[in-house]
Amino acid sequence: MMASTENYIWYHEDVLGQGATASVYKARAKKTGELVAVKVFNVASYSRPYEVQMREFKMLTRLNHVNVIKFLSVEELHMNRDQKVLVMEFCSGGSLLNLLEKPENFYGLPESEFLIVLRCVVNGINHLRDHGVVHRDIKPGNLVRKVGEDGCSIYKITDFGAARELEDNETFMSLYGTEEYLHPDLYMRAVLRKPQEKSFNVTVDLWSIGVTFYQVATGTLPFMPYGGPRKNQQVMYKIITEKPERAIAGVQKTEGGPIEWRYQLPYYCQLSQGLRVQLEQVLANILESNQEKCWGFDQFFAATQDILQRIKVHVFSLQQATAHCIYVHIYNTVSIFFEEVQAQTGIAPEVQQYMFQGHPLPLDPSKKVAHLPRTTEEQPIFLLSRQPEKMAALPPREPESPVIPVRFDVKADYIFSRTMDGVVHQYLRMVHCLHQHRELILRGFYSHIECVHVECNNTAHKVAMVNMKLLSCLSMEETLEQLPRDFPDASDNMQKLSLIQEKMPMYGSGIREFQGKLQHLHMDLAKHSETLAEDRSIQKMASLLEKIVAAHHQFRKDRLNEKLGYNEEQIHKFEKINLMIYIKRVKGLFREDCLQKYQNVLTAVQTWSSMLHDMQSKLEHFSGFFLQLIAELQMCERHQTKVLDRVLALQRPEAMEGQKKKDHLILRMKRLRDEMELVAQEMQNNNRIIESFGAFNARLVIDPEVPQPKGH
Ligand SMILES: Nc1ncnc2c1ncn2[C@@H]1O[C@H](COP(=O)(O)OP(=O)(O)OP(=O)(O)O)[C@@H](O)[C@H]1O
């Protein structure tokens, strides 16, 4: 069956959605074939006074924004000229509600998509505000989705039918379908039908936006009486009006039971901690029925813009094995970034050090955040603490599984399979996340070990330098010892030098031991990397999910049939048994395989962290000590040179046995002096090499005020 207006035509089966006032169809322009959406108002709707019918059209003609549905024209239905048809741009992605109903979004949208919704709604609502329009029916069903040329979603506010009708008690019923999103004052009037004197301003939209954002972030409605908002309207009203300040959700878990208030987004929500805290702040201030305490539109707009203008920096805290998203403004200094990192990890800025793409990342606190490298979830900046840090990673909390209906009931089985579909999607996400964290831990520790390795080499160079200087000093000391005992300024460094000579092999072997340990760590890491590479848990979970989705589709078909035939019923029952087996396997795979392997890596992290920390602090100590030794040896050299100079100056010809002997001694002295100069030059060269190695040194200068090992 087809219907048409003067310029557009559509099939009845191409229905995009049906609301309380109208049905929306996918239609085509007769002349161009262009796809449009036509909203055909139902009988109840077009029997309203003409001006009321025209309000939505009039309002739409005034609006023009990418996040507001584009109005094209108003036409009349060919079959019934009284019936108005609103023609608008077609959004192929359905509504945000359709998206939330997909099992993969049972626990809310992923962070990137959530931010798109946030941006579109805030910008769209701002445009309405600029034109003095209060929508009064904001909800996921009234946000339609278009897929942009870049593949990203664009959400558009639609359905402007409710805006003026709120002032008209007779047509108030049109709001009935959206009571879950209603501001408490409207709820009282529209749902409980109690007179309400207050005038409704923009805060009613802000409340609905708050409920919508909560649902988009979590997949569930924030205010939930036992049995659902529609079944228990009195409790619903109690929840939204008695909600304590700053609470963002209220749930009644048992019939007639207490209401559990929530001040934070639930654990299963997919948003990062960094975004959650910012969103919770917004929600607490717009889900506020007290007009005096509720944010005004300007505050809401400023707070949401502040979130949207921030850039996201992915940070993985290696010793703690936790992933973080740090939201900062591009114009903030790096020191602000350090503080945000501290807020999420507890690691103080003075002990933070970073690595990126396998190399140390020196960060200057006075520079702008714009200088930070671009990060992704897979390519984060690794955070290391100079202090030992406790493991902070917690095993992920499993989603609550619904109870399997014991009896044969197509409806209950369908609901069960649908929920299970959502639950297993969450399991799959968790498996992905654990896998990714294992990968990041191994990658991060590989670089960390390499950096300690460089430090080890630097220290080994210092040992070599000390040894060279020591040998040169010792040989000179031996020469000087041949001088007459009563020679003034005769050097007596021998004891000190022998003591250093005695200790040096100990340091040398200490460093070799570290190098051995590092090699051992690399081998340990390689074993874990091999286990990770062979891990098929993601594929196994995905294949189980596929089977559960197939069972769910089967149950969806079965639900549509009033009564199943004998064979269909048998198949349904077998499928239910299979479903139970798959679910058991999902949990087994997660707990005994994925979680177990993840815990193994976490245990290794603790060992690796403490070993590397121990090595680094010893190396730091060694470095400082060697620099001190080098200074002492240099002093000794200077003293020896001074003595030599004096010897040469004080030599009197009569004191010597003969001219020949004198010449011989002078020659020897000169040669020695030349040799020393050569050694000194070589050492200077070595110093330069070591300094250039120092640029790769893992002990980064993050804050110039932080005490650094001597000589750096
Ligand atoms: N332009 C569009 N492109 C694609 N789908 C659309 C469009 N407009 C609306 N829809 C779909 O049609 C559904 C109903 O549209 P709309 O909300 O305008 O109707 P309504 O009768 O006013 O509904 P309500 O019960 O919310 O008052 C939407 O939820 C959406 O799924």
Side-chain angles (χ1 to χ4, degrees):
M1 270 256 292
M2 291 190 95
S4 63
T5 60
E6 190 188 342
N7 294 304
Y8 299 93
I9 187 159
W10 62 93
Y11 288 103
H12 274 292
E13 47 282 23
D14 280 346
V15 63
L16 296 168
Q18 260 169 333
T21 56
S23 298
V24 182
Y25 300 93
K26 182 170 87 175
R28 278 186 189 274
K30 286 179 183 168
K31 286 184 191 145
T32 61
E34 182 202 0
L35 279 174
V36 293
V38 289
K39 182 168 178 176
V40 184
F41 291 88
N42 58 27
V43 180
S45 165
Y46 75 80
S47 59
R48 298 171 300 174
Y50 184 72
E51 333 79 74
V52 177
Q53 283 184 54
M54 296 308 281
R55 269 176 199 155
E56 184 170 2
F57 314 146
K58 276 193 193 152
M59 206 161 291
L60 274 171
T61 48
R62 282 163 53 204
L63 303 170
N64 180 18
H65 190 270
V66 64
N67 300 120
V68 175
I69 199 79
K70 195 170 169 202
F71 165 74
L72 299 173
S73 63
V74 182
E75 300 207 350
E76 285 145 11
L77 200 64
H78 270 159
M79 288 183 321
N80 180 353
R81 298 252 164 225
D82 285 341
Q83 209 168 343
K84 296 280 175 253
V85 173
L86 193 156
V87 186
M88 51 191 160
E89 67 177 309
F90 168 63
C91 294
S92 60
S95 74
L96 178 59
L97 185 67
N98 301 146
L99 196 67
L100 287 169
E101 279 166 352
K102 287 190 176 177
E104 60 265 39
N105 297 325
F106 258 35
Y107 295 95
L109 297 188
E111 185 150 328
S112 52
E113 193 67 17
F114 176 85
L115 285 170
I116 296 177
V117 175
L118 182 73
R119 195 184 59 232
C120 294
V121 173
V122 169
N123 291 343
I125 284 287
N126 189 43
H127 181 74
L128 299 194
R129 157 111 174 147
D130 284 348
H131 290 78
V133 175
V134 182
H135 187 281
R136 306 191 195 199
D137 197 12
I138 297 287
K139 57 177 182 175
N142 282 342
L143 295 164
V144 281
R145 184 169 152 257
K146 199 165 184 157
V147 182
E149 278 170 15
D150 56 359
C152 287
S153 310
I154 305 166
Y155 293 91
K156 292 167 188 270
I157 303 172
T158 186
D159 191 0
F160 288 79
R164 295 292 178 95
E165 284 171 348
L166 284 179
E167 293 166 5
D168 183 346
N169 273 328
E170 281 167 5
T171 52
F172 219 75
M173 286 295 284
S174 63
L175 265 178
Y176 208 66
T178 58
E179 59 192 67
E180 293 87 345
Y181 303 88
L182 279 186
H183 184 277
D185 294 344
L186 288 180
Y187 193 91
M188 195 167 159
R189 201 168 123 180
V191 183
L192 302 182
R193 316 268 182 91
K194 288 188 185 157
Q196 173 59 260
E197 294 306 318
K198 285 182 197 167
S199 64
F200 307 113
N201 61 18
V202 72
T203 50
V204 302
D205 269 355
L206 290 187
W207 179 280
S208 312
I209 289 173
V211 177
T212 302
F213 284 169
Y214 186 95
Q215 191 181 2
V216 177
T218 65
T220 46
L221 287 163
F223 308 119
M224 201 45 101
Y226 181 78
R230 300 205 183 190
K231 285 209 180 119
N232 211 335
Q233 291 169 337
Q234 294 300 332
V235 178
M236 178 69 178
Y237 184 66
K238 191 175 146 71
I239 294 177
I240 56 178
T241 49
E242 291 177 12
K243 184 187 81 67
E245 225 175 285
R246 304 206 67 79
I248 58 168
V251 180
Q252 187 190 41
K253 285 197 165 160
T254 50
E255 196 167 4
I259 294 149
E260 223 176 74
W261 300 111
R262 293 185 187 153
Y263 296 84
Q264 283 165 348
L265 291 164
Y267 72 93
Y268 50 77
C269 144
Q270 293 187 55
L271 306 186
S272 69
Q273 191 55 29
L275 182 57
R276 279 176 192 225
V277 282
Q278 299 178 77
L279 180 63
E280 282 160 2
Q281 166 79 354
V282 172
L283 293 180
N285 285 289
I286 59 173
L287 290 173
E288 174 58 68
S289 56
N290 184 339
Q291 300 261 1
E292 277 160 30
K293 288 181 186 155
C294 180
W295 269 355
F297 183 82
D298 292 338
Q299 272 172 298
F300 165 76
F301 189 68
T304 45
Q305 283 301 315
D306 184 77
I307 299 176
L308 293 165
Q309 282 163 4
R310 285 169 188 251
I311 60 157
K312 184 164 150 183
V313 186
H314 293 270
V315 172
F316 192 84
S317 173
L318 199 55
Q319 290 117 315
Q320 298 174 315
T322 47
H324 304 271
C325 288
I326 310 294
Y327 279 85
V328 268
H329 287 290
I330 202 112
Y331 53 78
N332 283 151
T333 57
V334 170
S335 58
I336 304 272
F337 166 77
F338 289 161
E339 281 166 26
E340 290 291 325
V341 170
Q342 181 180 24
Q344 284 196 35
T345 62
I347 299 178
E350 321 67 274
V351 291
Q352 291 171 15
Q353 46 186 21
Y354 296 91
M355 285 190 307
F356 186 62
Q357 290 183 334
H359 297 289
L361 179 72
L363 294 177
D364 180 346
S366 62
K367 282 256 166 73
K368 292 274 185 283
V369 161
H371 287 89
L372 292 178
R374 286 216 147 266
T375 58
T376 60
E377 222 174 307
E378 300 79 30
Q379 198 69 264
I381 294 180
F382 286 100
L383 163 69
L384 284 161
S385 168
R386 286 168 203 267
Q387 281 175 354
E389 295 295 338
K390 274 199 195 134
M391 166 66 55
L394 295 171
R397 235 168 107 176
E398 290 181 50
E400 274 173 40
S401 298
V403 184
I404 301 172
V406 188
R407 291 211 271 144
F408 169 76
D409 176 344
V410 280
K411 271 201 186 113
D413 288 349
Y414 165 73
I415 292 169
F416 170 74
S417 70
R418 196 167 150 260
T419 317
M420 217 50 231
D421 195 346
V423 167
V424 180
H425 266 101
Q426 183 80 338
Y427 269 106
L428 181 61
R429 258 193 302 271
M430 280 159 45
V431 175
H432 265 291
C433 177
L434 293 187
H435 196 273
Q436 191 187 49
H437 282 202
R438 276 165 69 195
E439 207 263 317
L440 287 177
I441 289 170
L442 298 177
R443 192 147 35 100
F445 269 99
Y446 183 89
S447 312
H448 188 17
I449 295 170
E450 280 302 289
C451 288
V452 178
H453 195 78
V454 171
E455 274 181 65
C456 239
N457 287 348
N458 283 349
T459 319
H461 270 91
K462 281 187 191 129
V463 172
M465 214 164 108
V466 170
N467 272 331
M468 251 168 74
K469 268 197 187 298
L470 183 66
L471 287 177
S472 141
C473 286
L474 277 169
S475 107
M476 178 56 90
E477 205 58 31
E478 273 166 24
T479 312
L480 293 180
E481 267 186 0
Q482 288 165 16
L483 290 174
R485 286 249 144 232
D486 57 346
F487 186 81
D489 293 341
S491 156
D492 60 348
N493 285 322
M494 206 53 184
Q495 211 184 346
K496 209 195 262 174
L497 292 174
S498 316
L499 208 74
I500 298 176
Q501 195 182 22
E502 223 172 82
K503 293 246 167 85
M504 281 319 283
M506 194 181 83
Y507 286 107
S509 68
I511 288 164
R512 276 194 297 282
E513 188 193 313
F514 287 173
Q515 282 165 333
K517 274 187 186 171
L518 289 175
Q519 224 165 11
H520 186 79
L521 280 185
H522 263 316
M523 272 152 56
D524 203 14
L525 207 70
K527 264 190 243 157
H528 281 278
S529 302
E530 218 174 282
T531 318
L532 184 72
E534 285 164 4
D535 191 24
R536 306 281 303 159
S537 46
I538 295 179
Q539 290 81 351
K540 285 184 198 165
M541 191 60 91
S543 131
L544 281 168
L545 175 62
E546 224 173 83
K547 288 173 178 150
I548 288 166
V549 170
H552 167 54
H553 287 170
Q554 176 65 43
F555 284 12
R556 189 167 55 193
K557 264 195 235 151
D558 293 349
R559 183 195 57 148
L560 296 177
N561 291 329
E562 278 292 291
K563 190 153 171 40
L564 295 185
Y566 175 78
N567 288 333
E568 281 120 342
E569 193 177 313
Q570 288 309 305
I571 293 169
H572 183 103
K573 283 178 181 167
F574 280 132
E575 205 57 3
K576 192 167 169 180
I577 294 168
N578 283 339
L579 200 55
M580 280 149 71
I581 296 170
Y582 301 147
I583 291 155
K584 225 172 147 190
R585 277 202 218 148
V586 164
K587 290 185 181 172
L589 177 67
F590 181 75
R591 290 173 196 164
E592 282 130 44
D593 191 359
C594 309
L595 209 53
Q596 198 51 55
K597 283 180 188 146
Y598 174 68
Q599 301 276 24
N600 291 347
V601 174
L602 291 192
T603 313
V605 165
Q606 278 160 315
T607 319
W608 299 338
S609 286
S610 75
M611 267 173 87
L612 289 167
H613 180 264
D614 188 50
M615 258 186 251
Q616 269 186 310
S617 41
K618 280 188 181 143
L619 283 171
E620 203 166 312
H621 167 76
F622 281 11
S623 270
F625 178 65
F626 293 146
L627 288 172
Q628 210 178 316
L629 280 187
I630 289 169
E632 276 178 31
L633 290 169
Q634 272 167 345
M635 227 163 73
C636 172
E637 272 173 354
R638 276 197 296 275
H639 185 245
Q640 288 174 336
T641 315
K642 228 192 266 169
V643 173
L644 271 180
D645 286 345
R646 300 240 327 141
V647 169
L648 288 174
L650 290 177
Q651 285 301 320
R652 285 193 312 270
E654 58 274 23
M656 304 299 289
E657 277 175 23
Q659 187 62 30
K660 210 175 149 197
K661 210 169 180 181
K662 182 188 156 196
D663 287 346
H664 180 72
L665 186 68
I666 291 173
L667 260 172
R668 261 189 71 194
M669 294 292 183
K670 276 188 176 165
R671 204 172 60 219
L672 244 164
R673 200 177 171 152
D674 290 346
E675 270 174 19
M676 277 188 65
E677 267 170 15
L678 270 174
V679 171
Q681 261 178 19
E682 203 169 324
M683 280 172 179
Q684 264 179 355
N685 279 342
N686 279 346
N687 256 341
R688 252 175 255 129
I689 295 170
I690 287 164
E691 266 163 23
S692 63
F693 265 115
F696 292 101
N697 198 316
R699 288 159 306 164
L700 302 170
V701 186
I702 289 173
D703 185 338
E705 283 173 18
V706 175
Q708 291 295 307
K710 280 180 209 158
H712 279 249

